[in-house]
Amino acid sequence: MRLHTTIGQFAVFTAGTVLLASCSSGDESSSSADNTESSEETREYETEKGEVSIPSEPETIVTDYYAGELLAVDADVSGSGPDAFSNPFLEEQLSGAKNVGDPIDPEEVLELDPDLIVVMYDDNYEQLSEIAPTVHIPYNPDTDVQETLDTFGELTNNQAAAEDFKDTIEETAADAKERLEGTIDEDDTFGIYELTDNDELYVFGANGGRGGQAIYNALDLNAPEKIQEEVMGENAQEISMEVLEEYSADHMFMTTYDPEDTGESKEKIQDSDVWANLDAVQNEQFYFLDFDTYYPYDPISVNEQIDLIADELTE
């Protein structure tokens, strides 16, 4: 598991105009049109690897971890890494896409003949760059989902779609906040946690997935002071079970990373005295969340998570 972003038609000249043009001017026009077409087809994009010449309007994109970000701005994703296919919110949109492996497999990518490759990790970067222009965007470069939409809207030249999705998220958040009125107290605090199959325990901030964007940014819910001071600037912080109470909140949301689905870690924490003494547990305000549903932090997933979190709190 890794912790985890039509060229316009040319005018048609009449036959009479063409006949009036001299051969030399016709050659110049042809050359000028070719240059214009070339400049419109590609543009320079600054990346961690330096400037990359990318299509102005890419049509076939392959990515390792940015399927949701690309789909949110109406870009075509023909291939993606396996994580995207376990995301319940992307299932329909990726029905025709190909799993290109983790790390991304150049041979699988080659078969798709993309005109742009977007990667979070630079495994096989040189090989991928020989297939198509490859943009390296390291893990989690943006502070919120709005910045993410700006990044991928610019990358794909779909800024209008990015703005539309920002509006969608704002509307979803406004509706969810209205549903929450009178359900939670203004001073209530909210915490996000994850337990792994190795009994590791993490506290998450706003920008590490697990519903953080929905809870802290979209719904404007407050973290406890200790989490604000120690975790919010980071994606996550590992803690021991013994100090969980120090990072506890009035409402606690926990995902469990358990790929073998043994349930052992979850049972262990629920059998502990630490668990039993948490105010959130005693007040029935401790919520176990599905890992696949809350792990992603792309705009499409965040938009859906906003409603799901409101459902948890109102039910």
Side-chain angles (χ1 to χ4, degrees):
M1 178 184 66
R2 305 206 204 199
L3 280 177
H4 337 19
T5 221
T6 305
I7 299 174
Q9 294 181 339
F10 289 106
V12 179
F13 295 98
T14 64
T17 304
V18 173
L19 290 172
L20 288 172
S22 67
C23 292
S24 60
S25 65
D27 291 343
E28 289 175 3
S29 298
S30 175
S31 174
S32 173
D34 289 344
N35 289 337
T36 301
E37 184 175 1
S38 175
S39 66
E40 288 179 353
E41 286 180 344
T42 63
R43 57 195 169 97
E44 297 304 305
Y45 189 84
E46 189 64 39
T47 78
E48 291 286 319
K49 303 286 188 181
E51 280 194 347
V52 177
S53 183
I54 67 172
S56 289
E57 296 181 354
E59 297 180 353
T60 307
I61 305 174
V62 171
T63 185
D64 53 1
Y65 283 91
Y66 289 120
E69 287 82 353
L70 291 161
L71 291 169
V73 296
D74 289 344
D76 175 76
V77 176
S78 58
S80 177
D83 273 18
F85 295 95
S86 63
N87 183 334
F89 308 123
L90 306 182
E91 183 176 1
E92 183 176 346
Q93 291 168 278
L94 290 176
S95 60
K98 182 178 184 179
N99 186 336
V100 293
D102 179 20
I104 191 169
D105 185 345
E107 291 186 7
E108 298 286 348
V109 173
L110 185 61
E111 292 181 6
L112 294 170
D113 191 27
D115 57 5
L116 180 65
I117 301 169
V118 186
V119 294
M120 179 182 294
Y121 298 99
D122 58 1
D123 306 278
N124 302 322
Y125 177 84
E126 297 301 329
Q127 290 173 277
L128 294 172
S129 296
E130 293 175 2
I131 298 172
T134 301
V135 173
H136 177 222
I137 303 177
Y139 171 73
N140 224 359
D142 302 318
T143 59
D144 56 43
V145 72
Q146 286 78 16
E147 283 189 11
T148 297
L149 286 164
D150 287 338
T151 296
F152 285 87
E154 178 186 359
L155 174 64
T156 62
N157 207 12
N158 288 343
Q159 290 91 339
E163 292 301 319
D164 286 344
F165 209 94
K166 286 183 188 178
D167 292 341
T168 296
I169 289 177
E170 288 180 7
E171 291 170 6
T172 301
D175 290 343
K177 287 178 181 178
E178 186 174 342
R179 288 165 54 201
L180 289 176
E181 287 182 4
T183 301
I184 56 176
D185 293 335
E186 185 176 345
D187 295 331
D188 278 0
T189 58
F190 300 79
I192 305 171
Y193 315 83
E194 183 162 291
L195 184 66
T196 76
D197 54 345
N198 294 322
D199 296 330
E200 297 167 331
L201 181 61
Y202 293 88
V203 183
F204 279 81
N207 208 27
R210 284 72 174 180
Q213 286 282 338
I215 292 168
Y216 294 130
N217 291 339
L219 295 175
D220 293 322
L221 301 176
N222 297 317
E225 185 175 346
K226 192 171 182 67
I227 293 179
Q228 291 184 31
E229 293 176 350
E230 298 184 14
V231 185
M232 276 302 176
E234 309 293 333
N235 296 319
Q237 179 176 307
E238 185 174 5
I239 62 172
S240 67
M241 185 69 69
E242 290 71 24
V243 300
L244 175 59
E245 189 172 2
E246 297 177 23
Y247 293 84
S248 65
D250 296 316
H251 300 263
M252 299 175 70
F253 301 94
M254 178 173 282
T255 52
T256 55
Y257 176 66
D258 185 12
E260 300 300 323
D261 198 26
T262 66
E264 292 177 1
S265 294
K266 183 177 177 181
E267 289 177 8
K268 192 178 296 184
I269 188 174
Q270 288 179 300
D271 288 339
S272 69
D273 290 338
V274 172
W275 159 273
N277 290 325
L278 292 171
D279 288 342
V281 172
Q282 295 176 3
N283 295 328
E284 298 184 351
Q285 293 176 168
F286 195 109
Y287 317 91
F288 279 106
L289 305 179
D290 176 66
F291 179 84
D292 288 336
T293 301
Y294 287 91
Y295 169 74
Y297 54 91
D298 64 88
I300 294 173
S301 299
V302 169
N303 187 59
E304 298 291 340
Q305 290 164 2
I306 294 168
D307 265 336
L308 293 176
I309 291 296
D311 288 344
E312 291 284 352
L313 293 172
T314 54
E315 289 174 1

